[in-house]
Amino acid sequence: MSVTAAKGFTAAGIAAGIKDNGNPDLALVVNNGPRRAAAGVFTSNRVKAAPVLWSEQVLKSGQVSAVVLNSGGANACTGPKGFQDTHATAEKTAEVLGRGAIEVAVCSTGLIGVPLPMDKVLAGVETAAASLSEHGGEKAAIAIKTTDTVHKTSVVTRSGWTVGGMAKGAGMLAPGLATMLVVLTTDADLESEVLDKALRAATRVTFDRVDSDGCMSTNDTVLLLASGSSGITPDHDEFAEAVRQVCDDLGRQLIGDAEGASKEIKVEVINAATEEDAVEVGRSIARNNLLKCAIHGEDPNWGRVLSAIGTTRAAFEPDRLNVAINGVWVCKSGSVGEDRDLVDMRYREVHIVADLAAGTETATIWTNDLTADYVHENSAYSS
Amino acid sequence: MSVTAAKGFTAAGIAAGIKDNGNPDLALVVNNGPRRAAAGVFTSNRVKAAPVLWSEQVLKSGQVSAVVLNSGGANACTGPKGFQDTHATAEKTAEVLGRGAIEVAVCSTGLIGVPLPMDKVLAGVETAAASLSEHGGEKAAIAIKTTDTVHKTSVVTRSGWTVGGMAKGAGMLAPGLATMLVVLTTDADLESEVLDKALRAATRVTFDRVDSDGCMSTNDTVLLLASGSSGITPDHDEFAEAVRQVCDDLGRQLIGDAEGASKEIKVEVINAATEEDAVEVGRSIARNNLLKCAIHGEDPNWGRVLSAIGTTRAAFEPDRLNVAINGVWVCKSGSVGEDRDLVDMRYREVHIVADLAAGTETATIWTNDLTADYVHENSAYSS
């Protein structure tokens, strides 16, 4: 269902020849209105890809008629020519759709530092526009895959209105957004300010707390488009909650498909003095390579959890820390707790609870284990 | 030569049975004076092992008569009993040497969260004391190994005085000191304040810029002991430079023996606005898992360098960044530079230069690649 689950949208996904292997690599999502409100959240990396620089400008108006996305090349670190290429892609899309280029957002994903084959991209835009369909959401989701093993879509339907979306991302998932492209659509009748508020609230507790390998991308983009075609203006909180649910679901799918991962690790920090403390501690644990290796080896190595907590500025006393792994409190009061042999780590999901004993705040960060497959996949990516 | 290269020191390394495999696991270094000045630098991890908490107190007096070190157990996260064990080890060492316990520093390394077998440790102290020798430095260096494949020693001799030392460390090397234990000795006749200044200056630009896997240990300790037995008081700057040289050499040996590494990577940041900026950028590059995988695959993936730079707060303009890998400027002005196929990455050492074009400051961080062997070694460590 993806981006065409909500009424008022058409989409397409085609093989434009950007990828050498002939797989689908160009997607188009079109908002047919009546409203064309939009909001966007972008990578906080200061080295931003050309499509991010362009789309940030597009979103300033709060109006998006179409999103054109390509896999097979990030168009990042490609200089002034890269920006011209993004602009030309938006112009071409606008031309074939009969819109203004400044209403066309552009997303790219793939290898950094390689110019896009613009003849193929521009021809692909024409092909994609010709195959736009109310049932094209699935194909669009497939066309944005890079190292993803599966395409990711999610839909939440409420009384008379829908939020749906697609995501790509498998490696380089980190706070400040992962290497992810996400397009969400809704037929709810809402203004861009409402979309913006809902999207920022949702990404803050979902995509921004998905941390696969601590690396932050140059291209991350999350867009939310509203067509208004349901004619319904939902309660803002109810809408925000629906957006959060879709983001949460897509974020979990990203972690589930992280490069080379064999475990999905939920790091839950409890009893923190502040939410910021909880997030900082959760990220520190989630980024600890030694712990991630231990989890891969099904070793409940809680010493590495404490070691990670100790590098943060969060409020805590070392001798009051408690850690549970899969329900067993292996560390109590900063020291040896229940028998670590009781921890059952055979399953794909691993749940770590870090109790800071310093307050009442909580946060959950999702990550995955560090595996030899991750090393293999990422040592061979561009060569 | 190690810690007994300088006059006035004896040392021993023996197998006390702390390690199951019967390898040497207990070392003793004794300062026979006439001076017993000392300085120490410890992990900045807030979760500190019992021996670190103890030795920090010992060093406050600026006097150390002996250092007792064990491998086979970190005595970290072991609660009040762990501190009692460290204290008992210092007491026993003081007793057999005829000194005060408060002049005995203790260092431990190995798995976190496991109590030490104190009967073996205390018996081992007696055995070690009985085998103290002016030629015992090598054996002491061997006894502190954990996953180290080789023992590490270094000596610098100047006119009439010497600085020598030993180090252990192979994984968990990160700023704020690695999982490293280092004992340096000198026969120069200097007060503890001079030692402290020289040691802090040296560690700041050596061990503190060695970042193998971004993880910070609970046990890191670097000690410098002066016997004064050469009767020579060197120029303070000349002494500080000798200490820096020994630390630099030992730090390089640590990186060279990092767990599972196949490449040693020198990350040199140039033309930074401040030294802090240079260090922050260097660390960000050195900690980027994706880049470390790429280097392992001999792939000069400069996009990952830019992506890492972009996550820092350092002063730079994205379109002025330049990156060289092994002498080839693969990125110029934030975009594609010289042909990446010109980069020869067959050798063990890889040299990355990141030019921020924002000033005149520089810093060098050493790291290594991320390999499947690292994953294997660290997923099986405690199980």
Side-chain angles (χ1 to χ4, degrees), chain A residues 145-351:
Chain A
K145 285 170 57 185
T146 54
T147 55
D148 306 65
T149 64
V150 293
H151 64 283
K152 289 112 181 165
T153 66
S154 186
V155 174
V156 165
T157 297
R158 295 283 177 267
S159 51
W161 56 275
T162 293
V163 178
M166 64 180 185
K168 79 117 262 180
M172 238 186 180
L173 296 171
L177 303 185
T179 288
M180 59 167 70
L181 300 182
V182 177
V183 180
L184 308 174
T185 57
T186 182
D187 46 22
D189 193 13
L190 294 164
E191 296 183 355
S192 61
E193 291 74 15
V194 179
L195 303 181
D196 188 71
K197 198 174 163 195
L199 186 63
R200 288 183 192 282
T203 55
R204 194 179 75 84
V205 296
T206 56
F207 297 124
D208 226 21
R209 296 187 184 177
V210 160
D211 194 331
S212 171
D213 64 8
C215 299
M216 191 194 293
S217 157
T218 51
N219 287 60
D220 301 327
T221 302
V222 182
L223 301 175
L224 171 57
L225 279 54
S227 69
S229 70
S230 71
I232 296 171
T233 301
D235 171 74
H236 293 183
D237 289 343
E238 195 187 353
F239 176 73
E241 174 57 19
V243 173
R244 193 200 61 75
Q245 278 183 36
V246 173
C247 290
D248 191 50
D249 184 27
L250 290 173
R252 288 294 310 282
Q253 292 181 51
L254 294 177
I255 275 290
D257 195 29
E259 283 168 355
S262 72
K263 302 282 188 192
E264 296 165 39
I265 309 170
K266 180 182 184 178
V267 180
E268 186 180 0
V269 181
I270 64 172
N271 298 323
T274 65
E275 188 182 355
E276 291 66 35
D277 277 7
V279 170
E280 184 189 357
V281 168
R283 284 204 206 294
S284 179
I285 296 169
R287 288 181 172 189
N288 189 284
N289 278 353
L290 288 166
L291 176 67
K292 288 153 72 92
C293 288
I295 300 295
H296 177 55
E298 303 194 342
D299 166 16
N301 196 323
W302 59 268
R304 293 174 179 175
V305 177
L306 256 66
S307 190
I309 297 172
T311 64
T312 70
R313 297 156 302 180
F316 70 83
E317 293 300 325
D319 59 1
R320 295 191 66 198
L321 295 171
N322 307 299
V323 175
I325 301 180
N326 284 354
V328 181
W329 288 95
V330 283
C331 170
K332 289 183 177 175
S333 302
S335 183
V336 187
E338 292 169 26
D339 186 354
R340 42 168 283 151
D341 290 343
L342 298 174
V343 182
D344 184 353
M345 297 187 67
R346 288 171 298 172
Y347 303 100
R348 186 172 172 92
E349 190 168 319
V350 175
H351 185 195

Side-chain angles (χ1 to χ4, degrees), chain A residues 46 172 216 290 299 307 314 382, chain B residues 46 172 216 299 307 310 314 382:
Chain A
R46 290 169 59 201
M172 238 186 180
M216 191 194 293
L290 288 166
D299 166 16
S307 190
S382 79
Chain B
R46 290 168 59 200
M172 239 186 179
M216 191 193 294
D299 167 15
S307 190
S382 79

Side-chain angles (χ1 to χ4, degrees), chain B residues 250-269:
Chain B
L250 290 172
R252 286 296 310 282
Q253 291 181 49
L254 294 176
I255 274 291
D257 195 28
E259 284 168 355
S262 72
K263 303 281 187 189
E264 296 166 39
I265 309 170
K266 179 182 185 177
V267 180
E268 187 181 1
V269 181

Side-chain angles (χ1 to χ4, degrees), chain A residues 301-304 307, chain B residues 18-19 25 43 47-54 68-79 82-83 85-86 89 106-118 121 144 146 168 172 179-181 217-221 381:
Chain A
N301 196 323
W302 59 268
R304 293 174 179 175
S307 190
Chain B
I18 307 166
K19 288 178 181 165
D25 49 21
T43 182
V47 175
K48 295 182 205 297
V52 169
L53 294 170
W54 168 261
V68 55
L69 310 95
N70 76 274
S71 52
N75 196 10
C77 306
T78 43
F83 192 81
D85 288 347
T86 288
T89 306
V106 182
C107 301
S108 299
T109 178
L111 191 61
I112 297 174
V114 180
L116 288 174
M118 284 307 293
V121 171
I144 60 174
T146 55
K168 82 114 263 185
M172 239 186 179
T179 288
M180 60 168 69
L181 300 182
S217 157
T218 50
N219 287 59
D220 303 326
T221 303
Y381 185 55

Side-chain angles (χ1 to χ4, degrees), chain B residues 60-73:
Chain B
K60 283 189 175 167
S61 69
Q63 286 270 115
V64 170
S65 290
V67 186
V68 55
L69 310 95
N70 76 274
S71 52

Side-chain angles (χ1 to χ4, degrees), chain A residues 5-195:
Chain A
K7 290 185 291 289
F9 293 91
T10 49
I14 59 122
I18 306 167
K19 288 178 180 165
D20 288 337
N21 63 10
N23 283 344
D25 49 21
L26 194 134
L28 192 56
V29 181
V30 177
N31 183 352
N32 299 298
R35 194 188 270 284
R36 295 200 175 82
V41 177
F42 301 90
T43 182
S44 52
N45 198 311
R46 290 169 59 201
V47 175
K48 294 182 206 300
V52 169
L53 294 171
W54 168 261
S55 297
E56 280 181 338
Q57 296 307 313
V58 168
L59 265 296
K60 283 189 176 167
S61 69
Q63 286 271 115
V64 170
S65 291
V67 186
V68 55
L69 311 94
N70 76 273
S71 53
N75 196 11
C77 306
T78 42
K81 178 65 169 61
F83 192 82
Q84 289 167 24
D85 287 347
T86 288
H87 186 210
T89 306
E91 288 278 6
K92 181 71 179 181
T93 306
E95 177 196 322
V96 298
L97 297 176
R99 321 268 194 189
I102 196 57
E103 287 183 21
V104 178
V106 182
C107 302
S108 299
T109 179
L111 191 61
I112 297 174
V114 181
L116 288 173
M118 284 307 293
D119 50 339
K120 292 174 180 169
V121 171
L122 299 181
V125 169
E126 291 201 13
T127 308
S131 62
L132 281 166
S133 153
E134 288 176 7
H135 308 289
E138 212 75 17
K139 286 188 174 171
I142 291 167
I144 60 175
K145 285 170 57 185
T146 54
T147 55
D148 306 65
T149 64
V150 293
H151 64 283
K152 289 112 181 165
T153 66
S154 186
V155 174
V156 165
T157 297
R158 295 283 177 267
S159 51
W161 56 275
T162 293
V163 178
M166 64 180 185
K168 79 117 262 180
M172 238 186 180
L173 296 171
L177 303 185
T179 288
M180 59 167 70
L181 300 182
V182 177
V183 180
L184 308 174
T185 57
T186 182
D187 46 22
D189 193 13
L190 294 164
E191 296 183 355
S192 61
E193 291 74 15
V194 179
L195 303 181

